[in-house]
Amino acid sequence: MIKNYFKIALRNLKKNRLYTTINIFGLSIGLAACLLILLYISSELTYDSFHKKSNHIVRATMEYKLSNEINYAAVTGTKVGPELTRRLPSVEDYVRTYISSGTIKYENKSFTENRILFADPSLFNIFSFELVQGDAVDVLDASNKIVLTESMAKKYFGSTDPINQVINAFGRDLIVSGICKNPPKNSQIKFDFVTQFLNLNNNVKREQWWSANWITYLLLNDSAEIVNVEQQINAYMSTDLVKKEARLDEGDYLKYNLEPLLDVHLKSDLAGFEPNGSLTYIYVFVLITILILMIAIANYTNLATAQSTTRSAEIGVRKVMGASKKQVFFQFISEATTVTVISTIIALGVSVLCVPYFNDITGQSFSRMELIQPLPLSMLLIFSVVVSALAGLYPALILSNSKVISILKQGFRSTGGNGLLKKSLIVGQFAISVFLIIFTLIIIQQMNYVQSKDLGYDKDHVVVMPIRGHMLNNFGSIKEAFEQVNGVKSVTASYETPEFVEWSDGINAVDENGEHDISVSAMPVDLDFVKTMGMELVAGRDFITSDFALMDTINTDNRDYREPYLINETLAKRLGWSPEEAIGRTISKRVDGPILGVVKDFHFSSLHDPIGPLLMFLGRNYSRNYMVRISGTDVKNTLAGLESTWSARISDQPFDYHFLDQDYDALYESEERSSLLFSVAAGLSVLLACLGLFGLVAFSIVQRTKEIGIRKVLGANLGNIMMLVSKNFLILVAIAVVIASPFAYWAAKNWLQDFTYRIEPQLQIFVIAGLVTLVVTMITISYHSLKAATANPVESLRTE
């Protein structure tokens, strides 16, 4: 019996090739899109879950109050891990981590590597990074040891066994003590090399609460005790001993919050080694998956119920011959199952082929093999069953419950006189499409706003080159050499690039209104920073060479030492001064110094955040990057000149550079990728909706062939016939636009709330989305409408 069901199903599907093709194509594309999106969702939801002790690992983050302002940071000082492990029995172990770049050399190979991890020896005990050579107990037990990933071992040593080989890393010889598998893509900590944390510099050897630059993880004895451990930590941090060590004034505090490792990627507001994901986006992607499936299911249901009008004779004969409701029901369910099975097989093939393109959209590195693992195959099977049930259930129930006499006398009308189900499904499909189109257009508009907004500095044509090794010892001569290169307009240096300043500090100032203590962001910079970055001074002047004389270190007690400062408008306003009033006043960042200039406010973090108070001080010795403004007229030759100068002056370091605007773009990488994914989803939804509409229009015209022929005989022209066919469908799409618009506005407004600087959704976006949808609908309808309108009415009447 079952074999017979599927045999007849295949025969009917072959007979109605247009509708079968539309259904299979629509379901295949929908299922493939859903499978790929769920692959991404699965990766995000399982971040760091491969660590065996993941439920016992927490990240310690700082919360501190200074100068009446509360601040949060993902980094800590060097003392947190060791001290809490000593003081609290609940804390079993700790690991301090920092990722940096540097030059790695082996024989004649020399590369600049950007993922060198500095970590305490406990790294491989706390985390489950798999060692293929070496022992977790001793691979990092000495400062002269380094661990390589498999990819780096192959890059530097080829087929040679790397263990006990000596490589030069950041200027010192290290012994390869272990080989680790490449960290999974869903790991917060991604590295190519690992060496001891204490190899960073002498400063990290001293335990201190501040100078916070390190991400600290704690291993707890009991995962259920996170809240209690956090309370114990902060009870200890509020003791007089700690307050004295941390130099906290009355009313200030320093405490630590514990974030479960598995919550960090999607739930933390503090980014670590990489930008965090978003739980909101996960919900949105789940919603998109459901919406795409709904459109595909609606297509099948609409076409199946439309086709049922041609099968009244078949159903009537079946029932006369003794077929039960159950048999008729399973016949139509088998047809839905057959379509879905074929679609599922095609969907798997399509998704495998599309993996590289999906990686480009999401920034992930999924392999094709991941799609044929048990989890994705199980999800695809579940989708298939759900689609079969939902798509086939309604037509099967309606057809199997029809009375035989009614069918044979009047034919079958699946949706009643007004076709309510068909109309509802069309409206629903296009409402989903319009929602995604509007939402995508608003995201794109916000991203364009982000890219074009005046930041207060010029990010274009600025080359950023890292300062490494002994370069600071020859800082001045290297800078002068860069300035001589053709095409170079100016050169400066700083600790951080201006698009994202993380250095936090505090200042003190006294005036006629009393004492001011303010938390600020701080930037150590070199001469010509304001000029090179294209910033504007609203009062005072920039740093000049003679300002170094203020920083007098002749006296051993530093009694004459002064540090000159530049501040931004926001800091001047926070102090209660106009820019002109601020010039010449003294402020203190542990060292007194005069304010030389006030810089027009510029964005030194993403547009998600408001512009805060900023202090710039003359700190050449802190410099980590040269920044070179070039003319941009001959970029290739200018870069060649910079490389030649680099090679001549810095022969022990490979030439390395990038552009400042790339750093800025990286701040919004997550939003850019999401907007691209939304765009693809919107395009797919429109495509699937139009496919269904194409089939429905074709079927509608077949049913109205005689009517159209009669109207043409009575004098209806081309326009009349096209309007007759199109009018009802266009009205339904217009209703979908009206329904979708308020939901899209609400969703977009909520998404935009994450940006302090944002656009307002404009009416024209909704108009454009509506017009685009109506035009696409008209194009979809026009083929069959035009064909019907130009047909010979004699043939139409004879056909009926």
Side-chain angles (χ1 to χ4, degrees), residues 32 51 55 142 147-148 159 183 296 327 344 377 388 500 606 691 740 765-766:
H51 296 297
N55 289 325
V147 176
L148 280 63
S159 59
Q327 288 172 321
T344 301
L377 289 178
S388 295
F500 195 69
S606 83
L691 271 176
I765 291 178
F766 298 86

Side-chain angles (χ1 to χ4, degrees), residues 26-321:
L27 285 175
S28 299
I29 297 299
L31 287 170
C34 293
L35 182 60
L36 289 170
I37 293 173
L38 281 177
L39 187 65
Y40 171 77
I41 292 172
S42 174
S43 174
E44 291 289 286
L45 292 176
T46 57
Y47 238 81
D48 294 307
S49 61
F50 65 93
H51 296 297
K52 295 176 183 177
K53 300 176 182 177
S54 58
N55 289 325
H56 293 259
I57 303 171
V58 295
R59 184 177 73 169
T61 63
M62 290 177 66
E63 178 186 336
Y64 58 96
K65 181 181 179 184
L66 297 175
S67 309
N68 294 317
E69 290 190 29
I70 298 175
N71 298 278
Y72 301 88
V75 291
T76 72
T78 53
K79 189 167 186 172
V80 178
E83 181 71 358
L84 296 182
T85 304
R86 288 190 293 262
R87 295 279 180 178
L88 302 179
S90 305
V91 180
E92 182 180 327
D93 208 346
Y94 70 92
V95 59
R96 298 165 295 183
T97 57
Y98 183 76
I99 291 180
S100 184
S101 58
T103 302
I104 304 291
K105 300 177 182 178
Y106 176 71
E107 294 181 345
N108 61 341
K109 296 180 180 179
S110 178
F111 298 97
T112 298
E113 303 290 357
N114 295 315
R115 301 202 307 183
I116 303 173
L117 175 64
F118 294 84
D120 288 304
S122 55
L123 175 78
F124 290 102
N125 173 53
I126 293 177
F127 293 100
S128 300
F129 297 113
E130 186 178 346
L131 288 165
V132 293
Q133 287 183 268
D135 194 316
V137 175
D138 57 18
V139 286
L140 291 177
D141 65 353
S143 62
N144 66 337
K145 291 185 176 182
I146 190 167
V147 176
L148 280 63
T149 59
E150 287 181 311
S151 58
M152 289 299 106
K154 184 176 181 180
K155 176 179 178 178
Y156 284 88
F157 298 99
S159 59
T160 304
D161 185 4
I163 297 298
N164 294 325
Q165 298 285 345
V166 176
I167 64 173
N168 186 278
F170 41 88
R172 59 178 296 184
D173 289 338
L174 299 175
I175 298 170
V176 178
S177 58
I179 304 299
C180 174
K181 283 192 174 181
N182 296 330
K185 62 180 175 295
N186 59 346
S187 170
Q188 291 176 47
I189 307 174
K190 298 181 178 73
F191 56 84
D192 295 316
F193 304 85
V194 190
T195 188
Q196 262 204 12
F197 180 75
L198 296 181
N199 282 339
L200 274 165
N201 53 51
N202 289 328
N203 289 335
V204 300
K205 295 177 181 178
R206 184 164 62 92
E207 293 183 7
Q208 49 187 331
W209 295 114
W210 299 106
S211 297
N213 293 294
W214 332 112
I215 293 182
T216 302
Y217 297 94
L218 305 178
L219 180 65
L220 306 184
N221 291 320
D222 188 348
S223 60
E225 292 296 312
I226 291 178
V227 175
N228 290 336
V229 174
E230 190 176 276
Q231 291 172 348
Q232 293 170 21
I233 290 172
N234 292 320
Y236 173 65
M237 295 305 297
S238 64
T239 61
D240 292 337
L241 173 65
V242 172
K243 286 185 175 181
K244 183 177 179 181
E245 287 179 348
R247 303 185 303 278
L248 294 171
D249 295 330
E250 188 66 31
D252 294 341
Y253 66 77
L254 169 63
K255 65 179 185 178
Y256 296 94
N257 300 316
L258 303 183
E259 297 179 334
L261 180 69
L262 298 179
D263 289 351
V264 171
H265 180 67
L266 290 178
K267 297 181 181 179
S268 177
D269 294 326
L270 302 172
F273 292 123
E274 61 182 16
N276 288 338
S278 168
L279 201 56
T280 300
Y281 283 155
I282 296 298
Y283 293 143
V284 170
F285 293 147
V286 169
L287 179 61
I288 287 174
T289 303
I290 294 171
L291 294 179
I292 290 175
L293 274 181
M294 284 175 62
I295 291 176
I297 291 169
N299 274 349
Y300 184 92
T301 304
N302 246 342
L303 290 174
T305 51
Q307 279 181 268
S308 63
T309 59
T310 66
R311 301 181 68 175
S312 56
E314 175 195 344
I315 298 166
V317 170
R318 281 177 178 274
K319 292 206 169 190
V320 167
M321 297 298 291

Side-chain angles (χ1 to χ4, degrees), residues 555-574:
N555 299 305
T556 56
D557 60 359
N558 291 332
R559 63 177 179 271
D560 296 326
Y561 187 92
R562 296 291 183 272
E563 202 164 55
Y565 300 113
L566 299 178
I567 65 173
N568 70 347
E569 291 176 296
T570 297
L571 179 52
K573 191 179 298 182
R574 192 73 62 86

Side-chain angles (χ1 to χ4, degrees), residues 413-595:
R413 295 184 179 273
S414 63
T415 56
N418 61 357
L420 181 60
L421 175 67
K422 180 177 72 175
K423 293 176 181 178
S424 300
L425 290 175
I426 292 173
V427 170
Q429 285 177 301
F430 279 93
I432 292 169
S433 301
V434 172
F435 172 87
L436 290 173
I437 290 171
I438 294 172
F439 193 53
T440 301
L441 288 175
I442 291 174
I443 292 176
I444 292 172
Q445 192 176 42
Q446 173 66 17
M447 289 299 99
N448 290 337
Y449 172 77
V450 164
Q451 294 297 331
S452 61
K453 188 180 188 307
D454 180 10
L455 302 174
Y457 66 92
D458 185 0
K459 68 181 187 301
D460 297 323
H461 302 125
V462 177
V463 181
V464 181
M465 297 181 291
I467 296 174
R468 299 194 183 102
H470 303 292
M471 291 171 65
L472 276 177
N473 298 336
N474 303 306
F475 180 93
S477 62
I478 294 173
K479 180 181 177 183
E480 289 174 6
F482 286 146
E483 289 173 334
Q484 302 307 310
V485 173
N486 287 334
V488 170
K489 300 176 74 172
S490 62
V491 182
T492 190
S494 67
Y495 178 77
E496 295 173 299
T497 49
E499 90 290 341
F500 195 69
V501 176
E502 294 187 280
W503 183 312
S504 295
D505 223 312
I507 66 160
N508 174 268
V510 179
D511 63 9
E512 57 276 11
N513 295 317
E515 187 172 354
H516 307 276
D517 292 311
I518 298 177
S519 293
V520 299
S521 297
M523 288 190 75
V525 300
D526 186 41
L527 302 176
D528 303 319
F529 183 81
V530 171
K531 179 179 76 172
T532 303
M533 291 298 102
M535 296 174 180
E536 181 183 341
L537 281 166
V538 294
R541 63 170 176 83
D542 195 1
F543 295 125
I544 56 177
T545 306
S546 60
D547 291 331
F548 283 111
L550 290 171
M551 304 164 72
D552 176 24
T553 57
I554 295 175
N555 299 305
T556 56
D557 60 359
N558 291 332
R559 63 177 179 271
D560 296 326
Y561 187 92
R562 296 291 183 272
E563 202 164 55
Y565 300 113
L566 299 178
I567 65 173
N568 70 347
E569 291 176 296
T570 297
L571 179 52
K573 191 179 298 182
R574 192 73 62 86
L575 289 165
W577 305 333
S578 69
E580 292 74 17
E581 290 172 339
I583 303 303
R585 291 189 182 245
T586 298
I587 59 176
S588 176
K589 183 183 71 65
R590 292 179 293 278
V591 176
D592 288 348
I595 297 174

Side-chain angles (χ1 to χ4, degrees), residues 642-688:
L642 289 171
E643 182 175 10
S644 177
T645 301
W646 180 289
S647 300
R649 297 274 178 169
I650 318 161
S651 58
D652 63 328
Q653 301 281 339
F655 180 61
D656 187 22
Y657 76 94
H658 65 273
F659 286 93
L660 181 61
D661 55 2
Q662 293 173 317
D663 293 333
Y664 180 77
D665 292 342
L667 293 176
Y668 308 99
E669 184 177 1
S670 175
E671 288 85 355
E672 289 283 3
R673 294 195 182 282
S674 296
S675 70
L676 185 55
L677 192 55
F678 286 134
S679 300
V680 173
L684 280 176
S685 68
V686 173
L687 173 64
L688 293 176

